[in-house]
Every structure is written in structure tokens, then in C-alpha cells.
Amino acid sequence: MIILISLGIEGTAEKTGVGIVDSDGSILAMAGKQLFPEEGGIHPRIAAEHHAEWIPKLIPMAIEEAGLSYGDIDLISFSQGPGLGPALRIVATSARSLSLSLKKPIIGVNHCIGHVEVGKLDTGAVNPVSLYVSGGNSQVIAYESGRYRIFGETLDIAIGNCLDHFGRETGLGHPGGPVIEKLAKQGSYVDLPYVVKGMDFSFSGLLSAALRKAQKGVSMEDICFSLQETAFSMLVEVTERALSHTQKDEVMLCGGVSANSRLREMLKTMSEEHGAKFYMPKMKLCGDNGVMIAWLGILMCKEFGPMDLSQTNIMQKFRTDEVDIPWIDNTKSYLRLSDDLIAKGAESNIVKSSYLGHKAVLKDRIPKNYRIKEIDDKIRKARTKEEAKLLSDAKRAGVKTPVLFDINLSDKSILMEEIEGDIVKDIMDEDLAFRIGSEISKLHSADIIHGDITTSNIMLQDNKLVFIDFGLGRYSPLDEDKAVDLLVLKKSLQSIDYNLAMKYFDCVLKGYGNESMSNKISDIESRGRYTH
């Protein structure tokens, strides 16, 4: 078997690197250089100048470390995006120059997928739900229907950006993450906003609230502790939601923010609570590096062949879910539930029960050991109380929901009617999609945001649609929140059958009956943080 050797060049943000990998997955060389700005954040022009200075130095360093000659290189791989435009242009120009001078084929790859694939290479994970967190990206990624799908992402800034911004504004320095982690070890909890919207998270409000605490003179240790605990709980909750939805049995953490030991601990705890295996690549492979680009280049080139030079333009907003991934083994080994559970969701355990002779289910919002008690108690109590009210108000809006029998705020549990029927996920067609859109419109007309409209949370009973699990629900008159609600459903449809998803979602929007909402959804999607 012929062994291919790939040289990869990375430089999407403040760090540039060159790596050399062979097609057996052996890492032959890894060289890199980090830019540390004197003040403020990463300036795109300065990052580009840094890369232009260092890439010509790092290439011969990597060649020497690998013990190779330039003639031994079979492929030039480079990060095509997402990232800072000026930095990406330097990387692409360097890769083209090297390709032309050596007369070697070239291929551009997706930076985010590089993190996932090198993580799998290093850990042996096969088909995980991946939490990818860095300065410029925060995504929950899992493979479905031929591509890596984004099951959750930030609606504004990335977690690394949030921590760095806080560090700069409060004089802790850049990067902020390591200093915040250190101070957090001496801190106690102060109340900060916890924002999870369906399968997505938002950090801008959390950042602003933390900065206000600092301005008021609250202990920096306490703010750092609370900022870290709140932000990481949000990330882990959405990862847990994706794990519950996909029923995969592997979880992987990757990206530069993986360096935080508390985040690793929380994600590992969540994984173990679900009976899933937890993986994290070596720390040197978590940050941006050339090895991940070289390895993904090999995988891509094997499937699609090299690129023509005309195809090597940079893509600042290169989406993770734009790339066909035919090499994944999608043989799933599903999570197994204990016999007493009907379902184990991200939020609750669902147990069969009864109430005055009626079949019932007990939705038990169990404590989450990955969250500190102050955050866990606050969220569980608020969501239990809100869900009970939403179930009743949804009925008044003309939408069928389970009958509420009892609520126990001290136990954070709800006893309700058991719905017997088909889960929409298993029977979806265009007519059902239209009907679902019509029902969602009724909820939104009453300013009810379901918060977790997935194809697993809608059932068909006696030919009537029943909406269940309002656990992330709330009230809002804002079109923005209603559009995010619909986006959750769109992502859920894509996980069933990506090819049919758009057809189904078009039917949902027709049933919804508000043409302006389509524009709002497109606007939110265009803000997706795929750049640094």
C-alpha cells in the first residue's frame, strides 16, 4: 500500500502552524508559533503579518523534524476557512507557492472539521458528538446523513472570545481563559444569566452581566468562578441535548478552550451520567495546529482528489456542514436505557406512572452533577414551574399538550398524561410538516416559545399532533425568539434526512403562514459564528 505524506499549513487566527502526517496517521512533525498581542484582541492585519513572517520559517523546521526532503512530500494541505480574511490569504498564498515550487498537488480544508478529525485520530473515537470550543468557534457537532451537522452553536460570540474579552476589559490580560480558570478556584457563586435557546447558546448577555459585576466591585474571584461555571454549564447542556437526540455513545471535546480543566471535568461527568465514553485529544492537538490540516487533507484527497489552483480561494465563513464526509463509519452503537426508564432526555428522566386510574408519566428533572448546586437548583426549579404554566397556556392557544396532573417544585417534577402514539421523527411527511407549522403558529401567536421543537418532541395521537416537553419554553413577543424556535426544528429535520429536510421545512413555513419569518430565519443563520 502506498503511503502518502501531507504537509499542512494552519493560520486561521492568532496561531500559525505546520504539520506533517502520513496516510497511516503517523504524526511526523509539528511546528507552530503563537501571536500574543500587546494589547486588545487579535488584529487581522497583525495576524497576517505574523503568519507571513513565520510560515517560511516553520516549513523547513517541520521538514527537518520529520527527517524528510521536500521531494518526499506528496500533498500540500491548508486551512481554507473559516477565519480572519488577511490571515487566511497568507496561508493560502503560502500553500499555493509551495505547491507550485515543488510541483505537488494542493487541497484546502475546513478548519473546524480538522479539529474533529485529528481528535478522532488521536483518541480512537469513531462517531462522537463533539463539543468544539475555541476563540472564534463554539459548536456542537455530530455526523448525520453524510456530513458533520451543527446541532448547536453560539448565537453571538464564541466562548473563547467571551473569556478573552472579559480578561481584556478587566485588566486580566490576553488570553483571558487561563487567568479566569486560576482565579475561579478561589471563587464562590454570584448570580449571572444562563442563556440556552433550544440547541443554541448565547454569551454576550453573560459577558455584559459579568462586566457589570466587576464595575460594581464584586470580587474578581467570584465573578470568574460564576462566569466559568455558567458558560460551561450552557455548553455541556447543549452537548447533552445533542447526545440525547442522536443517541450516540461517544463524546469528544476539542478546540483551544479544551485546556480548561473544569470544562473537561464537567463534560466527562455528563458523558458518564449518560453511559457514553468521553474522549479528548492531547492538549497539543486541541489548539490550532498544522497536523490537523495535514491529516484532513489526506482524508479529503483520498475521496475527492486534489484541487485545481482556481479552487483554492479562501472561505471566511466556511461552514462545518458544507463538506461531504464519505469516510465516516456511521455504524451506531446506541446508548442503552435502564428498564425502568421510558426515556432519558437531556433535562429529565421519564418514568411510567399512574394517576387516579389514568396512565401517566413522571417527568423528573434530576440534578445534574456537572453543574454546581446553585445553578442547577435555579434552573430546575424555574423550568419546572414555567413548563407547568406553558402546558396549560398552550392548550388555551388551541395546541394539544399532555394533561397536567400534578407539579412538585421541591422535587422539580411534573406528573402528566402519558401520550400514546407515534413520534413524528419516525413518520414525517410533507402533510405532517405543514400541520406542524400551523400548530407552531398558534403557539407563537400566544407568544409561547416552545424552546425545544424537535421531531422527538411532537407526537401523533389519534391523528392529532401533540406537543410535549416544554422544558426549555418561555414567553416572548419577539420575532427573533420565534425564528430561533423554528430553527431548532429545522436542525432537527436535518438530522432525520438531510436531503428531505429543506422540503419538509418549506412545508412547515407554509403551514406557519408568515412569510416574513423566513427572512428572519435567514438573517439569524447568516450571523452564525463561523469566523474568528
Side-chain angles (χ1 to χ4, degrees), residues 1-27:
M1 182 178 175
I2 298 174
I3 303 295
L4 295 175
I5 296 177
S6 170
L7 183 147
I9 306 175
E10 157 61 20
T12 55
E14 76 274 19
K15 187 174 183 180
T16 188
V18 174
I20 301 177
V21 181
D22 70 25
S23 51
D24 282 343
S26 300
I27 298 172

Side-chain angles (χ1 to χ4, degrees), residues 26 48 81 160 211 227 244 278 287 296 302 304-305 309 342 344-345 351 374 393 458 480 506 520:
S26 300
L211 289 172
L227 173 61
S244 176
F278 173 71
L296 181 54
K302 278 183 176 179
F304 307 110
L309 281 179
I342 298 173
K344 182 177 181 61
V351 184
E374 294 92 331
D393 287 348
I458 310 171
E480 172 94 3
D506 284 344
K520 191 67 180 176

Side-chain angles (χ1 to χ4, degrees), residues 186-252:
Q186 281 80 48
S188 300
Y189 181 69
V190 293
D191 190 42
L192 289 175
Y194 185 102
V195 185
V196 169
K197 296 183 177 181
M199 291 290 284
D200 295 320
F201 27 78
S202 168
F203 297 112
S204 59
L206 171 62
L207 171 61
S208 298
L211 289 172
R212 285 195 296 271
K213 295 282 188 187
Q215 290 166 359
K216 291 178 181 178
V218 176
S219 156
M220 191 56 68
E221 288 83 359
D222 290 350
I223 301 172
C224 288
F225 174 81
S226 307
L227 173 61
Q228 188 171 274
E229 289 294 327
T230 304
F232 293 170
S233 292
M234 289 156 54
L235 289 167
V236 176
E237 178 183 330
V238 172
T239 309
E240 183 177 25
R241 200 167 295 285
L243 182 68
S244 176
H245 182 73
T246 62
Q247 289 293 293
K248 295 179 188 288
D249 67 346
E250 296 177 316
V251 175
M252 187 171 73

Side-chain angles (χ1 to χ4, degrees), residues 11-12 57 94 99 137 218 254 346 348 360 377 400 442 482 509:
T12 55
K57 299 176 183 178
S94 301
S99 169
N137 296 283
V218 176
C254 57
S348 315
D377 284 348
K400 185 170 174 58
K442 294 177 186 176
K482 293 170 185 178
L509 292 179

Side-chain angles (χ1 to χ4, degrees), residues 129 131 133 140 194 196 199 201 203 228-244 251 253 262-274 278 346-347 368-371:
V129 172
L131 174 60
V133 279
V140 177
Y194 185 102
V196 169
M199 291 290 284
F201 27 78
F203 297 112
Q228 188 171 274
E229 289 294 327
T230 304
F232 293 170
S233 292
M234 289 156 54
L235 289 167
V236 176
E237 178 183 330
V238 172
T239 309
E240 183 177 25
R241 200 167 295 285
L243 182 68
S244 176
V251 175
L253 176 63
R262 177 59 179 143
L263 178 58
R264 293 200 300 269
E265 176 190 2
M266 291 169 74
L267 200 63
K268 186 173 187 290
T269 298
M270 182 278 288
S271 304
E272 290 172 347
E273 287 181 348
H274 280 265
F278 173 71
E347 277 231 306
K368 298 295 181 182
N369 292 323
Y370 64 82
R371 290 193 293 231

Side-chain angles (χ1 to χ4, degrees), residues 24 112 121 125 155 332 390 417 462 526:
D24 282 343
C112 306
L121 173 67
L155 294 171
K332 297 178 185 176
L390 286 162
E417 170 193 11
D462 299 329
S526 72

Side-chain angles (χ1 to χ4, degrees), residues 12 24 138 188 232 236 274 277 283 291 293 319 345 358 385 413 510 529:
T12 55
D24 282 343
S138 295
S188 300
F232 293 170
V236 176
H274 280 265
K277 298 180 282 291
M283 198 56 236
V291 167
I293 304 303
R319 290 180 58 94
H358 296 283
K385 189 175 181 180
S413 65
K510 286 176 185 174
R529 296 293 165 164

